[in-house]
């Protein structure tokens, strides 16, 4: 049986490169013509010529010199110029600027950060095409068929049309059509993936012309959740994560911005929060930095959704004493899931006043950029109120109406500021809180919760810990003395072990086991990155390319046009290539197979029984 397989592998290698678009478009057809592309490509947006500063830059001597140096081993080239382009700042977004930014990044990705695909080709093979007689991509005409509105840039899930079409003719005429500027951004990411860089460093080419793509997402909400409270992250780390999201057509960054461990968010009306709550002076996010971050995301078709977790997970006792209970109480297991505990008092008007001050300061600053604000609500235990001198009870029959009042107060305020609330599932499923049907409920405890909430008519996000928790499977971070606990917990796996490999993530779809008629309420998914043991040193490698695996399922669905599940054999070479492209653009994801397997046909690394 060896022979047919070997023959097959050779045959596969002989064909032109796979159309490695990630996530795979809804419909795609490609040819085998080679076209080069250079800085003379004429770009228009709705018929008007667009001047692209990056293309001008390509003509300058330092850039020509830079491009002439080929550094095959240097897989991460910094985005010095792409980052240099700055769109006008402010919340008054113009479609033209959004598209311009997308074009600057796309051409920088093609010309400056282009991928020489040596690692995707057989060792020693002569993979560079001869471009002497190749045609050239001479124009890129972008047409936006509908007008963006203010709501395009702070959209409720599903409200923005992200669909697009992309064609490249055999003669080298490229065209993008999309209803929104966000659709144009999605198309431009696809466009960049058509091209490789020549080993001589002087040229870029596609071998897939003519190209015809029609594309749109399956799920409207596709996100990554980043905890910046267990560890603090530089704005650059967060921006780089946003870059990665947009490269994978993901559209939400959920920032879990406060917790009992730290409060890095500066609130001018409540200055002690960050003064006392930051891990160190300077490890904070100022109002200007927050605005800049939200804008940065909007320009990449990503919405930031900020979460201030409550009533549990609150560590403000040192800043504003008297509003919370259980801060740093032991044994912590009685009151919370991890040290230090801390929770707002229920049924306390001072807490409501505090929340009003907090929200009146914060929400007007973020409402121009986002449709949602997340109030957390996970892992809140009734035992907290045993420590509240005004309550001294853990009777849920007594506490439930108080919890409802707390939540309704917070959510009314959020709605007053023009935002929609989002909560973790426990508020509804455990605390029986009533929330309006436009409140998004985020699940993490499994498929049953998704199904139950969706069937009850809630809008649901799937963050199933069995598939989507990217921090899992790397062992305990708590310490224990020698003895029974040590023995019991040996070999120190964490609670959600094992690691969720991209292959596992790729097997799961948010609507799995959700009754058919309720599936429309499942908006999509979000991959939590809880950061007890993650900081800037490991962020990229833990998130990428695994978040890309979910991105393809959420954008393209798990099944292909024939209704069959896409196989790992079809996904792995493309996700591997996506990682290589992301490396070129400064995002250091981890390998998903050995280099030898990347260089050879996927059938040669297939695991047979
Ligand atoms: C390219 O595609 C055309 C049309 O499908 C086919 O006839 C031709 O053999 C292909 N050329 C190569 C080199 O694969
Ligand atoms: C809740 O607070 C109100 C005042 O806002 C008070 O009248 C009431 O007694 C409190 N309930 C309990 C159980 O303490
Ligand atoms: C929520 O409702 C369930 C089922 O009726 C009940 O068992 C549970 O105690 C309630 N939880 C709270 C916090 O009221
Ligand atoms: C696709 O994969 C899922 C999850 O592994 C499985 O439950 C489902 O039956 C598969 N569907 C098809 C059509 O093979």
């Amino acid at each position: 049986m060896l022979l047919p397989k070997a023959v097959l592998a050779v045959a596969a290698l002989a064909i032109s490169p796979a159309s490695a678009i990630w996530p795979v478009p809804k419909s795609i057809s490609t040819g085998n013509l080679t076209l080069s592309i250079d800085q003379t490509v004429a770009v228009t947006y709705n018929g008007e010529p667009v001047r692209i500063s990056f293309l001008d830059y390509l003509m300058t001597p330092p850039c020509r010199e830079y491009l002439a140096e080929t550094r095959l081993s240097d897989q991460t080239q910094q985005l010095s110029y792409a980052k240099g382009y700055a769109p006008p700042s402010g919340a008054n977004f113009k479609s033209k600027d959004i598209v311009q930014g997308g074009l600057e990044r796309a051409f920088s990705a093609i010309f400056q950060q282009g991928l020489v695909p040596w690692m995707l080709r057989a060792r020693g093979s002569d993979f560079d095409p001869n471009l002497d007689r190749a045609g050239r991509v001479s124009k890129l005409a972008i047409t936006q068929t509908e007008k963006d509105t203010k709501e395009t840039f702070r959209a409720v899930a599903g409200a923005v049309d992200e669909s697009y079409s992309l064609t490249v003719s055999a003669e080298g005429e490229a065209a993008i059509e999309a209803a929104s500027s966000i659709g144009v951004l999605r198309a431009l990411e696809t466009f960049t993936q058509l091209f490789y860089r020549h080993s001589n460093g002087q040229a870029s080419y596609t071998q897939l012309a003519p190209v015809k793509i029609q594309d749109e997402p399956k799920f409207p909400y596709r996100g990554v959740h980043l905890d910046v409270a267990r560890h603090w992250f530089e704005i650059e780390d967060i921006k780089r994560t946003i870059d990665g999201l947009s490269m994978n057509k993901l559209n939400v960054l959920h920032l879990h911005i406060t917790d009992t461990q730290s409060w890095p968010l500066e609130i001018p009306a409540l200055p002690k929060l960050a003064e006392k709550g930051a891990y160190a002076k300077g490890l904070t996010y100022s109002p200007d930095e927050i605005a800049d971050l939200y804008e940065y995301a909007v320009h990449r078709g990503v919405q930031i959704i900020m979460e201030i977790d409550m009533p549990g997970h609150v560590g403000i006792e040192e800043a504003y004493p008297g509003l919370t209970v259980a801060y740093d109480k032991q044994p912590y297991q009685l009151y919370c899931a991890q040290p230090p505990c801390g929770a707002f008092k229920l049924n306390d008007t001072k807490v409501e006043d505090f929340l009003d001050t907090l929200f009146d300061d914060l929400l007007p600053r973020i409402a121009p950029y986002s449709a949602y604000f997340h109030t957390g609500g996970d892992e809140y235990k009734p035992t907290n109120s045993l420590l509240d001198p005004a309550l001294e009870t853990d009777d849920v029959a007594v506490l439930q109406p108080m919890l409802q009042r707390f939540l309704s107060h917070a959510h009314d305020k959020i709605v007053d500021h023009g935002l929609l609330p989002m909560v973790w599932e426990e508020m509804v499923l455990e605390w029986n809180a009533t929330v309006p049907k436009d409140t998004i409920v985020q699940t993490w405890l499994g498929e049953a919760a998704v199904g139950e909430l969706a069937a009850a008519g809630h809008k649901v996000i799937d963050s199933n810990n069995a598939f989507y928790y990217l921090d899992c499977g790397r062992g305990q971070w708590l310490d224990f003395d020698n003895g029974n606990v040590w023995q019991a917990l040996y070999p120190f796996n964490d609670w959600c072990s094992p690691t969720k490999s991209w292959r596992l993530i790729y097997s799961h779809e948010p609507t799995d086991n959700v009754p058919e008629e309720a599936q429309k309420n499942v908006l999509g998914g979000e991959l939590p990155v809880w950061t007890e043991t993650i900081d800037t040193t490991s962020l990229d490698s833990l998130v990428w390319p695994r978040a890309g695996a979910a991105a393809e399922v959420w954008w393209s669905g798990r099944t292909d046009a024939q209704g069959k599940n896409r196989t790992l054999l079809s996904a792995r070479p493309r996700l591997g290539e996506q990682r290589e492209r992301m490396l070129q653009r400064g995002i250091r994801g981890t390998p998903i197979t050995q280099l030898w397997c990347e260089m050879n046909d996927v059938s040669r690394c297939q695991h047979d029984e």
Side-chain angles (χ1 to χ4, degrees), residues 346-349 390-391 398 402 405:
L346 298 181
N347 200 48
D348 190 313
T349 52
L391 301 176
V398 174
M402 296 179 179
R405 179 179 142 181

Side-chain angles (χ1 to χ4, degrees), residues 14-16 30-33 209:
I15 307 171
S16 65
T30 54
N32 59 16
L33 282 178

Side-chain angles (χ1 to χ4, degrees), residues 111-124:
F111 296 117
Q112 186 180 22
Q113 303 153 334
L115 178 67
V116 179
W118 62 266
M119 77 298 288
L120 309 173
R121 303 289 178 259
R123 181 158 45 200

Side-chain angles (χ1 to χ4, degrees), residues 11 37 236 286 436 515 521 537 540:
I37 185 167
E236 281 309 304
S286 72
N521 289 327
T537 60
D540 288 12

Side-chain angles (χ1 to χ4, degrees), residues 447-459:
E447 283 168 7
V450 180
E452 187 179 340
L453 288 161
H458 292 288
K459 299 281 179 250

Side-chain angles (χ1 to χ4, degrees), residues 173-192:
E173 298 195 348
I176 285 171
E177 201 175 288
S180 69
S181 58
I182 309 302
V184 174
L185 295 184
R186 306 295 177 240
L188 288 170
E189 285 299 335
T190 304
F191 185 70
T192 65

Side-chain angles (χ1 to χ4, degrees), residues 62-77:
C63 181
R64 300 198 71 78
E65 233 163 73
Y66 170 86
L67 290 177
E69 284 174 39
T70 45
R71 285 171 292 173
L72 291 186
S73 58
D74 181 5
Q75 292 191 353
T76 32
Q77 297 177 18

